[in-house]
Amino acid sequence: VSVTIRDIAQAAGVSPSTVSRALNDHPRISVATKELIQQLAQQMGYTPSALGRGLVTRQTATIGVVITTALDPFLAPLVTSIEEMARDNGYTVFLSSSCSDPERELGAVRAFYERRVSGVIVIGSQIEEGYFKLRDRFPLPIVLTNCRTYPYSIASDNVVGARRAVAHLIQLGHRLVAYISNPRSHCTNLDRYAGYRQALDKAGIPLDQNLVAEGNGTLDGGINAARQLLTSSQLLTAFFCFNDMTAIGVIVALRQAGFQVPRDKSVVGFDDLDLALYYHPALTTVRQPTCHMGQRAMRTLLELIRGKDDVRPEILPTELIIRETTGPVISSDGQ
Amino acid sequence: VSVTIRDIAQAAGVSPSTVSRALNDHPRISVATKELIQQLAQQMGYTPSALGRGLVTRQTATIGVVITTALDPFLAPLVTSIEEMARDNGYTVFLSSSCSDPERELGAVRAFYERRVSGVIVIGSQIEEGYFKLRDRFPLPIVLTNCRTYPYSIASDNVVGARRAVAHLIQLGHRLVAYISNPRSHCTNLDRYAGYRQALDKAGIPLDQNLVAEGNGTLDGGINAARQLLTSSQLLTAFFCFNDMTAIGVIVALRQAGFQVPRDKSVVGFDDLDLALYYHPALTTVRQPTCHMGQRAMRTLLELIRGKDDVRPEILPTELIIRETTGPVISSDGQ
DNA sequence: TTGTAGGCGTTATCAT
DNA sequence: ATGATAACGCCTACAA
């Protein structure tokens, strides 16, 4: 159904290998035939088959990126920086979503491997420790984000970021600080929870499991978790949230329950989305170096593709951005 | 570097074709050898090459989806519904971003065609009338969204949606209604602009080009456009925005300029993102049937893949959702 | 039920 | 500078 180099060869009265050379700017070919063939290819509507080519060259110049879902605004700058850098290096990027489902994530990696992509980046893996043993099942370069049990992983410093955020709340006088989690991002969630506990520890505040609620990284998840926390413990004064969308959900729930932020309750997010700055009130949050993470992930992957194997996991710094959703605790006599 | 059917054949002491049959559940093969080979394939870590297979079967069971950018939250439900339906029909979906650049969009379609995907869906094409003539350049099924110059296109009724939104503002007493555009989504923008003009026309309000500002579909674009409009025409009382993110940007700019919404100015968005309901104040907006659009696009593509050619373009209805960002004009003596 | 042979579209090696 | 040939991994008639 589509034009092949043989069709062009026949039309030009040359052999297929000559056509191949002409189309690939091979040095050993006459300018005349090269131009003739290129023109012919153009007007015959020839587009090379990556299948045929990939089969013989054993490389597809393609990078597969596995994301959780197209919905997550946090992914945007990360993916964009990956695409940018891939393009600069002659690679095409394809995305595939896992829907935060470990099985589908595996399916996405398999789909990429079946198509023999040059390498894969998995953002927000659900498969905790599995990639170690996946290396012989899918023998291709794989780079993860936020997974410290895997040698090739680019992470931001979730532990320190979370610790600082919660320390900030404690410094403002908050003693009852809730954490709203996101089990869908297993590793990341674990780290942020660890930072949360470290900050409490340091301040001598005992961990209260009733102040830990389960979210899912979305606005709705934040609303539900906040509602649940508000009914079980009305005394808590601050929320540390897995991410910004969760934090916005919390603020919505608080508003619906008649509380004002930050007068009555303080809220901290994570990610520093564009929206965080422009939400009203503007979100206090922890900024991740998203673009940097994407570039580092891509650079590591390129090195792996080129055969460098001495790559070390990297942890990039995070930064607490204090805006308008955190404030001091109002003493009880002020009410 | 990876295991092939010949490796398995050698290990099992059979011919490659027997292995192929065993792996593809071919009827004419003994159960014993089938199980032996399947087990062997498993433990040897065999994963078939889609390159070799696709070359001979002439189909890859893959759908390519071209999106503008991973950043656009409007895309999420659309893409998700496409993925869902593709999965149910045995297809794998890959995403590729065009960054709203016509050249890159073409590159994405080409990349998909080179890999001989079964079909392509382009969401928010930048190539206005080009797909008509692209059909012989890339002879594979292509479905677009929101492009009325192309036979296989799934659109929502942008004209009517925009008209109703602006009519709603006019009914509230607004006479000076601005439109903030988004040239990056050419066709869609044209339609929404048309609806805007129709509503003005119907009310006998002359079109004022000074009330039309250029945005880019993002929050920042909305902020900039609103600032520009506010300096050039302080009398305008309402903004009809290309989409919800633009509308949020407008609200931010209004707040910064000391205006309250909807008391001083009214704002209408488009898309009805999740965020629209939860923003404060909640956005009046035009809802698109996003999931439905995705399903329809995928269904049309599947029909094209299966050889049905009598598909007609569809326009799905939109719905005005009135919330808290629109209100009556306050008469000047009220100030 | 299994093996043999040919070919999918392309590139690479070796002659010419 | 060009052509013939083989090979990449897989599937599928056809033959056994």
Side-chain angles (χ1 to χ4, degrees):
Chain A
V1 78
S2 47
V3 185
T4 73
I5 48 169
R6 295 161 85 118
D7 299 328
I8 300 175
Q10 198 165 10
V14 295
S15 79
S17 33
T18 304
V19 176
S20 174
R21 279 186 284 253
L23 264 27
N24 292 331
D25 271 333
H26 194 89
R28 295 205 301 213
I29 191 164
S30 80
V31 184
T33 48
K34 176 150 89 179
E35 289 190 350
L36 168 72
I37 286 168
Q38 284 181 350
Q39 189 183 338
L40 212 53
Q42 175 95 26
Q43 75 188 47
M44 289 176 73
Y46 170 77
T47 308
S49 163
L51 272 49
R53 174 183 292 163
L55 204 51
V56 50
T57 62
R58 317 187 70 74
Q59 58 139 330
T60 53
T62 307
I63 305 288
V65 176
V66 182
I67 57 179
T68 51
T69 154
L71 192 131
D72 194 343
F74 161 69
L75 297 177
L78 230 168
V79 170
T80 304
S81 60
I82 289 175
E83 284 171 341
E84 207 63 37
M85 192 159 176
R87 243 174 63 91
D88 292 345
N89 285 272
Y91 288 88
T92 300
V93 171
F94 292 133
L95 271 47
S96 181
S97 9
S98 69
C99 300
S100 298
D101 174 359
E103 209 167 325
R104 288 207 199 176
E105 178 182 327
L106 211 62
V109 176
R110 172 194 301 279
F112 281 134
Y113 178 61
E114 283 181 349
R115 285 151 183 92
R116 298 299 188 262
V117 299
S118 312
V120 166
I121 297 177
V122 182
I123 300 177
S125 168
Q126 301 304 304
I127 305 171
E128 316 159 34
E129 7 192 351
Y131 275 96
F132 223 66
K133 95 163 193 251
L134 276 185
R135 295 181 63 180
D136 48 320
R137 186 151 162 213
F138 301 131
L140 86 172
I142 300 182
V143 170
L144 304 188
T145 62
N146 284 335
C147 181
R148 281 183 288 123
T149 62
Y150 182 75
Y152 311 115
S153 169
I154 309 297
S156 64
D157 203 334
N158 290 293
V159 179
V160 169
R163 194 169 59 207
R164 284 198 189 132
V166 176
H168 165 62
L169 289 168
I170 293 172
Q171 201 185 352
L172 286 167
H174 299 276
R175 302 279 302 173
L176 297 180
V177 180
Y179 174 57
I180 301 185
S181 69
N182 177 14
R184 288 200 199 169
S185 292
H186 184 81
C187 300
T188 313
N189 186 48
L190 244 49
D191 283 359
R192 294 185 191 169
Y193 184 44
Y196 165 78
R197 283 174 314 184
Q198 285 179 16
L200 294 182
D201 258 15
K202 204 168 178 180
I205 302 172
L207 175 67
D208 181 353
Q209 283 295 346
N210 293 321
L211 296 183
V212 179
E214 188 168 305
N216 60 13
T218 72
L219 213 151
D220 282 312
I223 292 179
N224 293 332
R227 282 185 185 149
Q228 182 191 321
L229 283 167
L230 285 174
T231 60
S232 72
S233 164
Q234 285 146 343
L235 296 170
L236 67 86
T237 57
F239 296 81
F240 171 56
C241 306
F242 176 81
N243 64 12
D244 286 344
M245 290 315 286
T246 304
I248 290 175
V250 169
I251 294 170
V252 169
L254 287 173
R255 191 162 46 225
Q256 287 175 350
F259 295 107
Q260 276 194 26
V261 175
R263 205 197 57 185
D264 304 321
K265 313 273 183 193
S266 286
V267 179
V268 180
F270 212 108
D271 288 349
D272 193 29
L273 304 181
D274 286 350
L275 189 62
L277 173 60
Y278 294 122
Y279 197 74
H280 186 67
L283 254 63
T284 294
T285 186
V286 180
R287 178 181 296 165
Q288 300 194 65
T290 27
C291 291
H292 213 193
M293 286 175 72
Q295 287 163 359
R296 275 301 186 35
M298 192 62 212
R299 206 181 69 183
T300 303
L301 187 63
L302 286 172
E303 287 176 352
L304 285 175
I305 291 173
R306 286 165 191 158
K308 277 199 182 179
D309 208 347
D310 57 337
V311 193
R312 321 226 74 233
E314 296 192 61
I315 297 187
L316 301 169
T318 50
E319 182 187 0
L320 177 65
I321 311 284
I322 299 171
R323 294 205 184 95
E324 305 167 5
T325 54
T326 46
V329 177
I330 306 230
S331 56
S332 46
D333 50 10
Q335 293 183 348
Chain B
V1 80
S2 46
V3 184
T4 74
I5 47 170
R6 296 160 85 120
D7 298 329
I8 301 174
Q10 199 164 8
V14 295
S15 79
S17 42
T18 303
V19 176
S20 174
R21 279 186 284 253
L23 264 29
N24 293 330
D25 270 334
H26 194 88
R28 295 205 300 212
I29 192 165
S30 80
V31 184
T33 47
K34 177 150 89 179
E35 289 191 348
L36 167 72
I37 287 168
Q38 284 181 349
Q39 188 184 339
L40 211 53
Q42 174 95 27
Q43 76 187 48
M44 289 176 73
Y46 171 77
T47 309
S49 163
L51 272 49
R53 173 183 290 164
L55 204 52
V56 50
T57 62
R58 317 186 69 73
Q59 56 136 336
T60 54
T62 307
I63 305 288
V65 176
V66 182
I67 57 180
T68 51
T69 154
L71 193 132
D72 195 342
F74 162 68
L75 297 177
L78 230 169
V79 170
T80 303
S81 60
I82 289 174
E83 285 171 341
E84 207 62 38
M85 192 160 178
R87 243 173 63 92
D88 291 345
N89 285 272
Y91 287 88
T92 300
V93 171
F94 292 133
L95 271 45
S96 180
S97 13
S98 69
C99 301
S100 298
D101 175 356
E103 209 165 323
R104 288 204 199 177
E105 179 182 328
L106 212 60
V109 176
R110 172 194 302 279
F112 281 134
Y113 178 60
E114 283 181 349
R115 286 152 181 89
R116 298 299 189 261
V117 299
S118 312
V120 166
I121 296 177
V122 182
I123 300 177
S125 168
Q126 301 303 304
I127 304 171
E128 317 158 34
E129 8 194 351
Y131 276 94
F132 223 66
K133 99 165 191 249
L134 276 186
R135 295 180 62 180
D136 47 321
R137 188 152 161 211
F138 301 132
L140 85 171
I142 300 182
V143 170
L144 304 187
T145 62
N146 285 334
C147 182
R148 281 184 289 123
T149 62
Y150 183 75
Y152 311 114
S153 170
I154 309 296
S156 64
D157 203 334
N158 290 293
V159 179
V160 169
R163 195 168 61 209
R164 286 199 188 129
V166 177
H168 164 62
L169 290 168
I170 292 172
Q171 201 185 351
L172 286 167
H174 299 275
R175 302 279 303 173
L176 298 179
V177 180
Y179 173 57
I180 301 184
S181 69
N182 177 14
R184 288 200 199 169
S185 292
H186 184 83
C187 301
T188 313
N189 186 47
L190 244 49
D191 282 0
R192 294 183 190 170
Y193 185 43
Y196 166 78
R197 283 174 311 183
Q198 285 179 16
L200 294 182
D201 257 14
K202 204 168 179 180
I205 301 172
L207 175 67
D208 182 352
Q209 283 295 347
N210 293 321
L211 296 184
V212 179
E214 189 168 304
N216 59 13
T218 71
L219 213 151
D220 282 313
I223 292 178
N224 292 332
R227 282 184 185 152
Q228 181 190 323
L229 283 167
L230 285 173
T231 60
S232 71
S233 165
Q234 285 147 343
L235 296 170
L236 67 85
T237 57
F239 297 80
F240 171 56
C241 306
F242 176 81
N243 64 13
D244 287 344
M245 289 315 285
T246 304
I248 290 174
V250 169
I251 294 170
V252 168
L254 287 173
R255 190 163 46 225
Q256 288 175 350
F259 295 107
Q260 277 193 25
V261 175
R263 204 196 59 184
D264 304 322
K265 313 273 183 192
S266 287
V267 179
V268 179
F270 211 109
D271 287 349
D272 192 28
L273 304 181
D274 286 351
L275 189 62
L277 172 60
Y278 295 122
Y279 198 73
H280 186 65
L283 254 63
T284 294
T285 186
V286 179
R287 177 180 297 165
Q288 300 195 64
T290 26
C291 291
H292 213 191
M293 285 175 72
Q295 287 163 359
R296 276 300 187 37
M298 193 62 212
R299 206 181 70 182
T300 304
L301 187 62
L302 286 172
E303 286 176 353
L304 285 175
I305 290 172
R306 287 163 191 160
K308 275 199 181 179
D309 208 347
D310 57 337
V311 194
R312 322 226 73 234
E314 296 192 61
I315 298 187
L316 302 169
T318 50
E319 182 187 2
L320 177 65
I321 310 285
I322 298 171
R323 294 204 184 97
E324 305 167 5
T325 55
T326 47
V329 176
I330 307 230
S331 57
S332 47
D333 50 10
Q335 296 185 343

